[in-house]
mmCIF file of all heavy atoms in Angstrom:
data_model
loop_
_atom_site.group_PDB
_atom_site.id
_atom_site.type_symbol
_atom_site.label_atom_id
_atom_site.label_comp_id
_atom_site.label_asym_id
_atom_site.label_seq_id
_atom_site.Cartn_x
_atom_site.Cartn_y
_atom_site.Cartn_z
ATOM 1 N N MET A 211 -23.707 6.519 5.896
ATOM 2 C CA MET A 211 -23.498 7.211 4.621
ATOM 3 C C MET A 211 -22.964 6.264 3.552
ATOM 4 O O MET A 211 -23.308 6.379 2.369
ATOM 5 C CB MET A 211 -22.545 8.392 4.829
ATOM 6 C CG MET A 211 -23.137 9.487 5.698
ATOM 7 S SD MET A 211 -22.098 10.975 5.795
ATOM 8 C CE MET A 211 -20.680 10.331 6.691
ATOM 9 N N LYS A 212 -22.128 5.313 3.967
ATOM 10 C CA LYS A 212 -21.602 4.341 3.013
ATOM 11 C C LYS A 212 -22.707 3.451 2.481
ATOM 12 O O LYS A 212 -22.764 3.141 1.279
ATOM 13 C CB LYS A 212 -20.518 3.494 3.679
ATOM 14 C CG LYS A 212 -19.819 2.533 2.724
ATOM 15 C CD LYS A 212 -18.683 1.809 3.422
ATOM 16 C CE LYS A 212 -17.974 0.865 2.444
ATOM 17 N NZ LYS A 212 -16.840 0.150 3.106
ATOM 18 N N GLU A 213 -23.623 3.021 3.361
ATOM 19 C CA GLU A 213 -24.739 2.179 2.932
ATOM 20 C C GLU A 213 -25.656 2.934 1.972
ATOM 21 O O GLU A 213 -26.201 2.336 1.038
ATOM 22 C CB GLU A 213 -25.526 1.717 4.153
ATOM 23 C CG GLU A 213 -24.779 0.711 5.015
ATOM 24 C CD GLU A 213 -25.483 0.426 6.328
ATOM 25 O OE1 GLU A 213 -26.556 1.040 6.563
ATOM 26 O OE2 GLU A 213 -24.969 -0.392 7.117
ATOM 27 N N LEU A 214 -25.808 4.226 2.186
ATOM 28 C CA LEU A 214 -26.655 5.045 1.309
ATOM 29 C C LEU A 214 -25.942 5.448 0.027
ATOM 30 O O LEU A 214 -26.576 5.992 -0.887
ATOM 31 C CB LEU A 214 -27.117 6.303 2.057
ATOM 32 C CG LEU A 214 -28.043 6.072 3.256
ATOM 33 C CD1 LEU A 214 -28.287 7.385 3.991
ATOM 34 C CD2 LEU A 214 -29.360 5.461 2.801
ATOM 35 N N GLU A 215 -24.609 5.189 -0.039
ATOM 36 C CA GLU A 215 -23.787 5.526 -1.208
ATOM 37 C C GLU A 215 -23.929 7.002 -1.588
ATOM 38 O O GLU A 215 -24.143 7.355 -2.746
ATOM 39 C CB GLU A 215 -24.155 4.631 -2.400
ATOM 40 C CG GLU A 215 -23.909 3.147 -2.135
ATOM 41 C CD GLU A 215 -24.254 2.270 -3.317
ATOM 42 O OE1 GLU A 215 -24.884 2.776 -4.274
ATOM 43 O OE2 GLU A 215 -23.900 1.077 -3.300
ATOM 44 N N LEU A 216 -23.806 7.849 -0.592
ATOM 45 C CA LEU A 216 -23.948 9.286 -0.816
ATOM 46 C C LEU A 216 -22.745 9.839 -1.566
ATOM 47 O O LEU A 216 -21.607 9.408 -1.341
ATOM 48 C CB LEU A 216 -24.084 10.018 0.524
ATOM 49 C CG LEU A 216 -25.294 9.659 1.393
ATOM 50 C CD1 LEU A 216 -25.280 10.504 2.663
ATOM 51 C CD2 LEU A 216 -26.595 9.870 0.630
ATOM 52 N N PRO A 217 -22.954 10.818 -2.446
ATOM 53 C CA PRO A 217 -21.817 11.469 -3.124
ATOM 54 C C PRO A 217 -21.040 12.336 -2.152
ATOM 55 O O PRO A 217 -21.557 12.706 -1.084
ATOM 56 C CB PRO A 217 -22.511 12.315 -4.207
ATOM 57 C CG PRO A 217 -23.883 12.569 -3.678
ATOM 58 C CD PRO A 217 -24.255 11.347 -2.897
ATOM 59 N N PRO A 218 -19.792 12.696 -2.499
ATOM 60 C CA PRO A 218 -18.934 13.455 -1.579
ATOM 61 C C PRO A 218 -19.550 14.741 -1.042
ATOM 62 O O PRO A 218 -19.368 15.065 0.139
ATOM 63 C CB PRO A 218 -17.689 13.743 -2.424
ATOM 64 C CG PRO A 218 -17.629 12.595 -3.382
ATOM 65 C CD PRO A 218 -19.052 12.288 -3.719
ATOM 66 N N ASP A 219 -20.273 15.482 -1.864
ATOM 67 C CA ASP A 219 -20.860 16.743 -1.396
ATOM 68 C C ASP A 219 -21.879 16.508 -0.283
ATOM 69 O O ASP A 219 -21.929 17.265 0.697
ATOM 70 C CB ASP A 219 -21.527 17.481 -2.560
ATOM 71 C CG ASP A 219 -20.516 18.098 -3.503
ATOM 72 O OD1 ASP A 219 -19.329 18.173 -3.127
ATOM 73 O OD2 ASP A 219 -20.900 18.496 -4.626
ATOM 74 N N GLU A 220 -22.682 15.472 -0.426
ATOM 75 C CA GLU A 220 -23.673 15.155 0.601
ATOM 76 C C GLU A 220 -23.011 14.594 1.857
ATOM 77 O O GLU A 220 -23.475 14.834 2.969
ATOM 78 C CB GLU A 220 -24.711 14.175 0.051
ATOM 79 C CG GLU A 220 -25.585 14.774 -1.042
ATOM 80 C CD GLU A 220 -26.678 13.820 -1.499
ATOM 81 O OE1 GLU A 220 -27.119 12.981 -0.681
ATOM 82 O OE2 GLU A 220 -27.082 13.890 -2.671
ATOM 83 N N VAL A 221 -21.927 13.845 1.673
ATOM 84 C CA VAL A 221 -21.178 13.334 2.811
ATOM 85 C C VAL A 221 -20.621 14.493 3.627
ATOM 86 O O VAL A 221 -20.718 14.525 4.864
ATOM 87 C CB VAL A 221 -20.038 12.407 2.346
ATOM 88 C CG1 VAL A 221 -19.107 12.082 3.511
ATOM 89 C CG2 VAL A 221 -20.602 11.123 1.760
ATOM 90 N N ARG A 222 -20.010 15.456 2.943
ATOM 91 C CA ARG A 222 -19.451 16.619 3.644
ATOM 92 C C ARG A 222 -20.541 17.375 4.403
ATOM 93 O O ARG A 222 -20.351 17.747 5.570
ATOM 94 C CB ARG A 222 -18.780 17.551 2.643
ATOM 95 C CG ARG A 222 -18.204 18.814 3.278
ATOM 96 C CD ARG A 222 -17.736 19.802 2.218
ATOM 97 N NE ARG A 222 -18.796 20.143 1.286
ATOM 98 C CZ ARG A 222 -19.784 20.993 1.553
ATOM 99 N NH1 ARG A 222 -19.853 21.605 2.740
ATOM 100 N NH2 ARG A 222 -20.708 21.238 0.657
#
Side-chain angles (χ1 to χ4, degrees):
M211 293 187 293
K212 185 175 181 179
E213 290 171 359
L214 295 174
E215 298 181 349
L216 298 181
D219 287 347
E220 293 184 29
V221 170
R222 178 189 56 78

